[in-house]
Amino acid sequence: MTMAATKKEPVVIEGAGALNTPLSGLLTWVDQRFPLMSLWKDHLAEYYAPKNFNFWYYFGLLAMLILVLQIVTGIFLVMHYKPSAAEAFASVEYIMRDVPGGWLIRYMHSTGASAFFVVIYLHMFRGLMYGSYRAPRELVWIFGMIIYLCLMAEAFFGYLLPWGQMSYWGAQVIINLFDALPIIGPDLSTWIRGDFVVGDATLNRFFAFHVIAIPLALLALVGAHIMALHEVGSNNPDGVEIKENKNAAGKPVDGIPFHPYYTVKDSLGVVVFAFLFCMVMFFAPEMGGYFLEYNNFIPADPLKTPPHIAPVWYFTPYYSILRAVTEDFMFWLALGVAAYATLIVFTSRGCLSKILAVLIAPVVIFLMKGVGFGMTFTLFRGTFLEITLPLEAKVWGVILMGLATLIFFLLPWLDKSPVKSIRYKGVLSRWALTIFVAVFLILGYYGTQPVTDLGTLISQIGTLLYFAFFLLMPWYTQMEQTRPVPSRVTM
Amino acid sequence: MAEQETDKGRRCMLVAASTVAGGIAVGVTAVPFVASMLPSERAKAAGAPVEADIGKLAPGERMTVEWRGKPVWIVRRTPEMLDSIKQSVDKVADPDSNKAMQPRYAANEFRSIKPEYLVLVGICTHLGCSPVDRFAAQAEAFAADWKGGFYCPCHGSLFDLAGRVFKNRPAPDNLIVPPHTFLSDTKILIGVDQGAEGAKGAA
């Protein structure tokens, strides 16, 4: 005697013609042993999404599509690639020249990497516009931001693998960022490299991270991102909660089932995306040196840095922030911290935030070298904890670059507007977002260029504006006049 | 059995104890994995000294040798180049080489054993790029009154012909002078200090 399967209603399929009976029987058999139909209903057939999704709602699905594309092309590249300093560069050229169709798979993968960031940045911009990070979607946003950080790590690890000049010196610079951290820095960067210089050990471990560790983390995080989204429901361009207005059957009146409505709509998006993707992949895979940098067609040479090195375009806004922090800039940075603390002390409602501002701001300013205190301390001299204070501009460049990526996590709590969507926010929020996007693009542009005095000045102003967008958000979102939000979504 | 009450205090203690024990076990298990990423014995052993033949190095020229996987430059400086070092004293951040970026025998005006020969690790102290030569005294995009030195293409740090970093540039420190010793007038051993036991043996 066998154990009885879970008692569930038989699955009924319509429209499959002669296959109806055997197919229904099979699905019923599976469903009694695996939550097939409930998964299907919860996430597709009966997942109610707002009916007013617009253009900006294509990019989440496109990002998932590219993730699949990168994994599939990656598997086939690994079949021919050799992760060793002696063979890596040649094996990539072997893929490009001798492996049947290898060039296509590799260009698909390299174009996919840039396309991934294009759609992720558009996806994030959508979130910024429509307040998709606001309660109750904080965790959707946080999982998304962790995905973004993992994606940056994945791209960074992957960029070393072709073992070209840019691969090598890009990794050298980024790993040396950790060197700047006080106390643990030098040991940490040696540990990351696995050698005293970027070498074979570094390449091998980056390969392991790129093909195993980070992809696994990405898949798990994408799962968490979607589960959190489907728990709270999708936001929409109006920022109206469709779950607050349900019909007699308990379904949101402004919602439509994801399948078939949005699966069909997204199919169109996929076709248009694939068309654009193929145009780049076939006709401009290097994208003028932005997707594949010219210097990376020269094998890595540890003795010679290329005359101009720049990260790939998707990292350049942060790279500009790193380069903007010079000794001269420390004064302005200290002034910014002091002004921000003053703003909190005079206008914040909370007592705790005032106390924190008064306590933290002088410490931060004291830790900035060259600002005016003029004293130097070395603590724990001669031990492994030795640290010299105040911290140099180089360290602050690294700190600011790190904060520039991490500050996105705070958005759900920085935005204090009574409305979610930019459609109903006031003029200050509109300008803030416009300036932020412009600053992000300008920083991105200067990050690709060699250092000039003008470029540094613009990057410094851009850095201050970048942080102002986030740090002043609690003020400008509350000061402005918002417009009334409709009770139903608008089309 | 069903009537027996759960001893919540005991259960809580057991959960806490097994969590702590499990946490310690996980932490200890992580040690070999973290340790496996440290430089291997082979990587540690690959730091042998390197000999450089400077016999063919003309005045005003630079040669590069590889030591511990890093570029080491040897520059033969002309009297004009040495003169430019004196002129840059008020423009550089650490003119007297107070920070320990060189062996004690190179903590002098020209940061070298013999003024003519400069030996430097060719890695920028900012983020590890290799700066490029800009030896000619002429107006450059990065400095109009350029007297000659090194320029880091990555982040714009400038160094004079003694490897001293200019003020207000991303790099915090002077370029590193590696331990080195003259075996003869035309041979330098990189990686061994002047006057050290190894230098005599190698000589």
Side-chain angles (χ1 to χ4, degrees):
Chain A
M1 207 177 93
T2 54
M3 290 276 287
T6 327
K7 286 276 172 279
K8 277 191 199 166
E9 291 292 307
V11 180
V12 181
I13 302 182
E14 285 154 22
L19 287 173
N20 265 353
T21 312
L23 213 52
S24 299
L26 176 65
L27 288 182
T28 303
W29 186 88
V30 172
D31 193 48
Q32 286 175 342
R33 290 156 179 82
F34 177 84
L36 183 71
M37 295 316 289
S38 63
L39 279 173
W40 166 257
K41 283 178 182 165
D42 289 349
H43 297 290
L44 286 160
E46 287 174 26
Y47 174 66
Y48 281 81
K51 62 186 180 185
N52 60 334
F53 278 0
N54 59 13
F55 168 76
W56 296 101
Y57 285 77
Y58 282 119
F59 299 106
L61 183 108
L62 290 179
M64 276 175 61
L65 176 74
I66 299 172
L67 179 63
V68 172
L69 180 78
Q70 293 303 83
I71 289 172
V72 172
T73 52
I75 290 169
F76 286 88
L77 288 173
V78 168
M79 292 181 191
H80 304 284
Y81 173 77
K82 295 200 165 50
S84 95
E87 296 174 285
F89 187 88
S91 74
V92 172
E93 288 307 308
Y94 167 73
I95 290 170
M96 293 299 288
R97 294 157 199 240
D98 294 343
V99 174
W103 63 272
L104 181 64
I105 296 173
R106 197 234 175 173
Y107 277 155
M108 228 183 265
H109 199 74
S110 64
T111 309
S114 276
F116 215 153
F117 279 93
V118 170
V119 302
I120 286 293
Y121 279 133
L122 293 173
H123 190 60
M124 287 165 71
F125 174 62
R126 191 277 314 275
L128 287 178
M129 271 200 299
Y130 299 138
S132 307
Y133 47 81
R134 298 290 297 276
R137 299 185 183 82
E138 300 99 321
L139 276 181
V140 180
W141 178 255
I142 286 173
F143 284 132
M145 279 310 301
I146 301 173
I147 291 173
Y148 174 56
L149 295 184
C150 280
L151 205 57
M152 291 204 280
E154 178 72 354
F156 167 63
F157 291 136
Y159 207 70
L160 183 68
L161 304 187
W163 205 243
Q165 273 288 67
M166 273 301 182
S167 301
Y168 185 89
W169 290 98
Q172 169 87 336
V173 167
I174 302 298
I175 297 172
N176 270 309
L177 290 180
F178 294 97
D179 210 54
L181 295 175
I183 303 171
I184 54 165
D187 289 336
L188 180 63
S189 61
T190 303
W191 180 71
I192 294 171
R193 279 189 297 261
D195 204 335
F196 304 99
V197 287
V198 172
D200 198 60
T202 322
L203 177 61
N204 247 292
R205 65 188 52 193
F206 276 29
F207 181 67
F209 286 125
H210 184 76
V211 304
I212 303 173
I214 308 279
L216 283 179
L218 274 174
L219 287 174
L221 285 163
V222 169
H225 188 62
I226 291 169
M227 281 164 70
L229 175 73
H230 287 193
E231 184 69 22
V232 294
S234 306
N235 187 36
N236 60 78
D238 283 311
V240 173
E241 290 301 334
I242 61 165
K243 284 187 176 179
E244 286 171 7
N245 194 350
K246 289 180 177 168
N247 62 18
K251 308 296 183 195
V253 290
D254 279 332
I256 44 176
F258 191 86
H259 178 76
Y261 292 97
Y262 283 121
T263 43
V264 169
K265 181 185 183 234
D266 284 341
S267 310
L268 174 71
V270 168
V271 170
V272 174
F273 168 78
F275 187 76
L276 296 172
F277 185 87
C278 287
M279 284 190 2
V280 174
M281 182 176 69
F282 284 113
F283 298 112
E286 292 160 21
M287 206 64 175
Y290 282 99
F291 285 11
L292 287 171
E293 293 168 292
Y294 299 140
N295 271 313
N296 227 23
F297 292 92
I298 303 168
D301 179 357
L303 300 186
K304 193 168 174 291
T305 307
H308 167 56
I309 89 158
V312 202
W313 68 269
Y314 37 78
F315 290 133
T316 51
Y318 304 112
Y319 190 64
S320 272
I321 291 174
L322 172 77
R323 293 201 298 192
V325 184
T326 62
E327 279 170 43
D328 278 349
F329 187 58
M330 297 308 286
F331 170 76
W332 298 101
L333 205 55
L335 199 67
V337 172
Y340 192 61
T342 312
L343 183 69
I344 291 173
V345 167
F346 282 101
T347 65
S348 176
R349 289 191 207 112
C351 187
L352 184 66
S353 56
K354 292 184 188 192
I355 294 169
L356 287 176
V358 170
L359 289 178
I360 293 173
V363 174
V364 172
I365 294 170
F366 165 75
L367 287 174
M368 292 178 175
K369 190 180 179 184
V371 171
F373 290 98
M375 294 172 285
T376 306
F377 299 91
T378 302
L379 303 178
F380 312 112
R381 191 186 293 275
T383 69
F384 73 99
L385 281 175
E386 180 170 318
I387 177 171
T388 302
L389 300 173
L391 303 173
E392 276 154 342
K394 166 179 161 177
V395 184
W396 285 102
V398 176
I399 292 173
L400 250 59
M401 188 175 78
L403 288 178
T405 57
L406 297 177
I407 201 164
F408 281 98
F409 281 98
L410 298 180
L411 265 182
W413 297 277
L414 291 172
D415 187 345
K416 299 204 183 286
S417 176
V419 303
K420 285 198 185 91
S421 169
I422 198 81
R423 288 185 177 178
Y424 307 105
K425 280 182 174 177
V427 68
L428 291 179
S429 288
R430 286 166 181 248
W431 273 108
L433 185 58
T434 309
I435 292 170
F436 176 73
V437 171
V439 160
F440 196 78
L441 296 175
I442 291 169
L443 286 174
Y445 169 74
Y446 279 102
T448 65
Q449 298 299 306
V451 178
T452 58
D453 285 344
L454 180 68
T456 304
L457 180 68
I458 291 172
S459 301
Q460 289 168 340
I461 296 169
T463 301
L464 292 177
L465 289 173
Y466 182 99
F467 284 101
F469 168 75
F470 293 97
L471 295 176
L472 297 180
M473 193 176 269
W475 282 268
Y476 65 73
T477 51
Q478 288 184 95
M479 281 162 64
E480 65 190 3
Q481 186 70 45
T482 58
R483 298 199 289 148
V485 180
S487 58
R488 299 274 305 268
V489 302
T490 59
M491 298 296 284
Chain B
M1 282 294 283
E3 284 156 29
Q4 195 179 333
E5 278 196 23
T6 310
D7 184 345
K8 286 191 178 154
R10 189 182 161 85
R11 177 180 286 177
C12 182
M13 209 282 287
L14 281 169
V15 169
S18 47
T19 306
V20 170
I24 292 170
V26 169
V28 171
T29 312
V31 170
F33 292 98
V34 172
S36 76
M37 287 176 67
L38 289 167
S40 64
E41 293 308 319
R42 191 168 65 189
K44 283 190 221 163
V50 175
E51 202 176 290
D53 184 355
I54 54 172
K56 288 176 188 155
L57 191 63
E61 279 190 352
R62 189 198 81 181
M63 62 179 284
T64 307
V65 293
E66 188 173 342
W67 171 65
R68 293 188 178 171
K70 296 174 185 175
V72 170
W73 299 332
I74 304 165
V75 184
R76 186 169 172 191
R77 290 177 290 197
T78 61
E80 297 81 49
M81 290 163 98
L82 291 174
D83 200 43
S84 79
I85 293 167
K86 290 178 183 167
Q87 292 174 28
S88 60
V89 167
D90 53 348
K91 288 184 195 154
V92 296
D94 183 15
D96 302 321
S97 297
N98 286 327
K99 281 200 196 168
M101 304 305 288
Q102 61 282 311
R104 220 176 311 145
Y105 47 82
N108 50 44
E109 186 181 10
F110 299 117
R111 302 188 75 221
S112 58
I113 297 173
K114 296 182 182 178
E116 193 176 4
Y117 290 104
L118 173 70
V119 182
L120 289 175
V121 174
I123 295 287
C124 182
T125 52
H126 181 222
L127 292 173
C129 289
S130 188
V132 291
D133 301 348
R134 287 287 186 275
F135 288 169
Q138 60 185 41
E140 295 276 3
F142 47 78
D145 58 342
W146 185 242
K147 296 284 191 294
F150 304 94
Y151 165 71
C152 184
C154 296
H155 308 94
S157 294
L158 301 177
F159 304 89
D160 72 359
L161 283 163
R164 298 181 300 189
V165 66
F166 277 60
K167 288 176 191 166
N168 198 30
R169 295 285 164 176
D173 294 315
N174 295 340
L175 293 177
I176 292 172
V177 178
H180 64 284
T181 187
F182 280 85
L183 299 176
S184 69
D185 282 347
T186 59
K187 282 217 166 72
I188 299 182
L189 188 65
I190 315 237
V192 175
D193 277 315
Q194 177 93 336
E197 282 301 309
K200 283 173 197 152

